[in-house]
Amino acid sequence: MIELIPAIDIIGGQCVRLTKGDYQQKTVYRDSPAEVAREFEALGFKRLHVVDLDGAKSKHIVNSDVLRRITSETRLAVDFGGGIKTDADIETAFEAGAQMVTVGSIAVTNPELFIGWLEKYGADRMILGADVRNGKISINGWKEDSTEDLLPFLRKYIDAGVSNVLCTEISKDGTLQGPAVNLYKEVMAAYPTLHLIASGGVSGIDDIRALDAAGIPAVVFGKAIYEGRINLSELARHLTPTT
């Protein structure tokens, strides 16, 4: 059964969603991310993906207070990303209650630092962020594209001990046009033991079922919830979240 991970993206302390990572295409859905997190927990979800979009843009964590409120008011296992660039940032995230962190840009720009964190905190607390645009890994809040190709990038860090990867197809993100199932199948064919978290484009329960049928271990989804495309009670009945 695919692991279901609802998402909360934060700008200015509010729950928002972007389209294709474009900060100019921002929709504010709720003023209180912590309230949204409590609602997810009440529906039976065990895990939550939180992104500090201000942090991703500013290159340092900005919304640690929001993270702390979510983790103090729920028992959700929170993975947190956005703006984690230094030892101080990653320590801030864990001190604020994150059980896991998602790190992408540093794995491109400073591999030694990323591997040091992997060794220090362990593979179960580190998620490699692999956000893809035109086949290349994108960094710094998706504002820059690197020269890294996806599969070799993953291989390098799987060999270093990474077991969890969050992969977003940027062209799909926030579009409600369906996820990049073929891309995720390609990744799983290359690395079948990887705990791959698919992200981007989920428009409804049928998309989640398609990812499940394709053998994708986990999925993050957000905009489809806030736009009313997914009935969370129905989702909880038909696709019970894993612990």
Side-chain angles (χ1 to χ4, degrees), residues 136-214:
K136 303 292 185 182
I137 301 295
S138 185
I139 60 175
N140 294 329
W142 301 349
K143 296 193 300 294
E144 304 171 37
D145 292 332
S146 75
T147 59
E148 297 268 8
D149 293 313
L150 176 61
L151 292 182
F153 176 75
L154 296 181
R155 167 52 65 195
K156 174 169 59 178
Y157 287 113
I158 291 170
D159 288 346
V162 161
S163 57
N164 300 288
V165 170
L166 173 69
C167 184
T168 303
E169 170 50 72
I170 295 170
S171 69
K172 296 281 191 178
D173 192 68
T175 65
L176 299 173
Q177 294 178 355
V181 177
N182 289 336
L183 173 67
Y184 304 129
K185 288 170 69 174
E186 181 182 0
V187 172
M188 292 306 300
Y191 310 119
T193 63
L194 187 66
H195 187 77
L196 177 66
I197 307 166
S199 173
V202 170
S203 64
I205 292 176
D206 286 346
D207 287 334
I208 294 173
R209 290 193 175 112
L211 289 165
D212 193 18

Side-chain angles (χ1 to χ4, degrees), residues 42-204:
L43 286 164
F45 291 95
K46 306 298 184 184
R47 174 102 172 253
L48 179 67
H49 177 61
V50 176
V51 181
D52 181 354
L53 290 173
D54 290 316
K57 191 173 183 179
S58 302
K59 301 184 181 181
H60 61 85
I61 291 178
V62 173
N63 288 290
S64 59
D65 56 333
V66 180
L67 170 62
R68 185 173 287 105
R69 186 175 175 189
I70 290 171
T71 60
S72 65
E73 295 183 11
T74 75
R75 296 182 179 180
L76 293 166
V78 176
D79 74 78
F80 179 83
I84 298 175
K85 306 294 186 185
T86 65
D87 291 334
D89 286 322
I90 197 168
E91 289 168 8
T92 293
F94 284 135
E95 287 171 1
Q99 292 195 17
M100 296 153 279
V101 293
T102 299
V103 179
S105 298
I106 285 298
V108 174
T109 62
N110 194 336
E112 295 80 9
L113 182 58
F114 178 81
I115 290 173
W117 290 345
L118 187 64
E119 293 172 348
K120 180 177 181 179
Y121 297 107
D124 60 330
R125 302 198 76 187
M126 297 292 297
I127 301 170
L128 176 63
D131 303 325
V132 183
R133 180 164 45 210
N134 299 322
K136 303 292 185 182
I137 301 295
S138 185
I139 60 175
N140 294 329
W142 301 349
K143 296 193 300 294
E144 304 171 37
D145 292 332
S146 75
T147 59
E148 297 268 8
D149 293 313
L150 176 61
L151 292 182
F153 176 75
L154 296 181
R155 167 52 65 195
K156 174 169 59 178
Y157 287 113
I158 291 170
D159 288 346
V162 161
S163 57
N164 300 288
V165 170
L166 173 69
C167 184
T168 303
E169 170 50 72
I170 295 170
S171 69
K172 296 281 191 178
D173 192 68
T175 65
L176 299 173
Q177 294 178 355
V181 177
N182 289 336
L183 173 67
Y184 304 129
K185 288 170 69 174
E186 181 182 0
V187 172
M188 292 306 300
Y191 310 119
T193 63
L194 187 66
H195 187 77
L196 177 66
I197 307 166
S199 173
V202 170
S203 64

